[in-house]
Amino acid sequence: MSPAFRLAPGAPGARILGLGSFQPENVVTNDDLAERVETSDQWIRERVGIVERRIAGADLSLVDMAAEAGARAVKDSGLAASDVDTVIVATCTMPNPIPNAAAQTADRIGLAAPGAFDLNAACAGFCYALGTASDLVRAGSAQNVLVIGAEKLSDWLDWDDRSTCIIFADGAGAAVVGAASDADQVGIGPVAWGSAGDMNQTIRVLPESGALYQEGQAVFRWATTKIAPVALRAIEQAGLTPADIDVLVPHQANLRIVEAVAKRLRAKGAREDMRVADDIVHSGNTSSASIPLALDHMRAQGRVRKGETVLLVGFGAGLSYAGQVVVCP
């Protein structure tokens, strides 16, 4: 006979308790890049929508950025460091796989012996980690989980390759996930996820150089046709309709992709006044950090408010993709 498992008392669901983010101070403009590679401000704006991006120096590590964003999220949540018992860092750019980023980040913040692990789903990493954190809380395996998306993509770029050096950047964003006190407080919907392993050559690290390579046109075609259905599935699984979405925060891969996804959602019933994150304009593509960075920035700007319904969508061709609906804390 199978055992009768019980969920943690008082934890029918999970919600986001706080947000935080961090970016390096060093701003690199399109004109700065045009001094090194054959490109221009106009060319970059027209093709990917980026005006400037933040790039970390050699003295600022991925763990440094993760710890700053994580500490800010814990403070925003109103919890004490001792209340956080699990740390998940979504990243694909640690310089080495051992030791992991999560345990180092937890130690920097002052968390005592939490469960700590890294998760690599590349650009969809934050959604994967947020879904995992929600399930950990719902199952009673954790009480409060610090979820961080952190990337130092500048370490993995060929700065003479104009197809990648104009797009990617560095930064970290974080959220604290805790239990919902009752059904009305649930603030994280089910994660709708998947992968496209047949596209594995479109975004990869070249073994001969160790640099990130991307087939831009293939990724663009894939994302503009495949991501809206994932977003719609996430909305349906949350028991909502497209018209219920106040804010769309997709992975900040390319402004044209962001706008195409929003257009498809509006064609399926999303409101014309649905606000759409455009953090890529001033932050670049920060992979797993892009969604929490954009959400925290929009909240600071007053473009998303407490209690509003937000659709998150993360994607990377050849890697993983995911969508989920959350309520802004």
Side-chain angles (χ1 to χ4, degrees):
M1 181 181 293
S2 299
F5 292 110
R6 278 191 275 175
L7 293 176
R15 61 192 180 111
I16 296 176
L17 305 178
L19 297 170
S21 63
F22 175 83
Q23 291 178 289
E25 293 183 358
N26 181 37
V27 176
V28 176
T29 67
N30 293 341
D31 289 333
D32 292 333
L33 293 176
E35 294 180 2
R36 175 158 185 163
V37 296
E38 185 180 351
T39 190
S40 69
D41 176 60
Q42 181 180 356
W43 192 91
I44 297 172
R45 287 176 187 245
E46 290 177 351
R47 284 160 179 78
V48 294
I50 299 173
V51 174
E52 60 187 20
R53 72 285 292 146
R54 303 292 187 95
I55 301 297
D59 59 342
L60 187 66
S61 71
L62 185 151
V63 171
D64 292 332
M65 294 187 288
E68 286 287 346
R72 292 174 185 181
V74 173
K75 181 178 180 180
D76 187 60
S77 74
L79 298 177
S82 58
D83 294 325
V84 178
D85 55 9
T86 309
V87 178
I88 306 173
V89 174
T91 185
C92 61
T93 55
M94 274 291 283
N96 294 295
I98 301 173
N100 69 22
Q104 297 180 75
T105 299
D107 181 64
R108 295 277 188 90
I109 297 174
L111 308 183
F117 61 94
D118 291 359
L119 184 156
N120 182 357
C123 302
F126 184 76
C127 287
Y128 268 64
L130 194 64
T132 300
S134 174
D135 288 347
L136 287 172
V137 169
R138 291 176 58 244
S141 297
Q143 290 186 324
N144 297 295
V145 184
L146 175 59
V147 180
I148 305 170
E151 305 288 4
K152 191 178 181 186
L153 285 145
S154 59
D155 283 347
W156 295 82
L157 296 180
D158 175 355
W159 287 96
D160 293 316
D161 175 11
R162 75 169 186 172
S163 67
T164 55
C165 75
I166 66 169
I167 298 172
F168 296 102
D170 305 330
V176 175
V177 175
S181 57
D182 55 54
D184 291 337
Q185 292 292 316
V186 174
I188 301 176
V191 61
W193 54 18
S195 60
D198 58 323
M199 298 283 287
N200 65 81
Q201 294 301 299
T202 57
I203 305 176
R204 65 186 190 273
V205 173
L206 299 175
E208 60 271 19
S209 65
L212 184 65
Y213 168 80
Q214 175 174 267
E215 293 182 10
Q217 288 302 312
V219 172
F220 180 84
R221 289 192 298 269
W222 179 87
T224 53
T225 58
K226 301 297 185 181
I227 295 308
V230 177
L232 291 168
R233 180 155 55 96
I235 293 170
E236 181 180 7
Q237 289 181 190
L240 302 174
T241 70
D244 295 316
I245 303 302
D246 298 307
V247 182
L248 169 64
V249 183
H251 162 51
Q252 303 293 288
N254 175 314
L255 190 59
R256 292 165 62 203
I257 293 175
V258 168
E259 292 170 345
V261 172
K263 181 178 180 180
R264 286 177 177 266
L265 289 178
R266 289 190 174 109
K268 293 294 184 178
R271 303 193 309 269
E272 286 299 320
D273 65 351
M274 177 183 69
R275 279 151 276 150
V276 182
D278 56 359
D279 207 55
I280 189 170
V281 174
H282 297 290
S283 296
N285 179 343
T286 55
S287 189
S288 69
S290 73
I291 288 175
L293 267 173
L295 183 57
D296 194 41
H297 288 170
M298 289 186 78
R299 188 181 64 159
Q301 296 159 2
R303 296 174 62 199
V304 59
R305 295 175 289 276
K306 181 177 181 179
E308 289 193 309
T309 302
V310 184
L311 174 62
L312 313 178
V313 190
F315 52 88
L319 302 168
S320 304
Y321 53 82
Q324 63 199 135
V325 177
V326 303
V327 175
C328 182

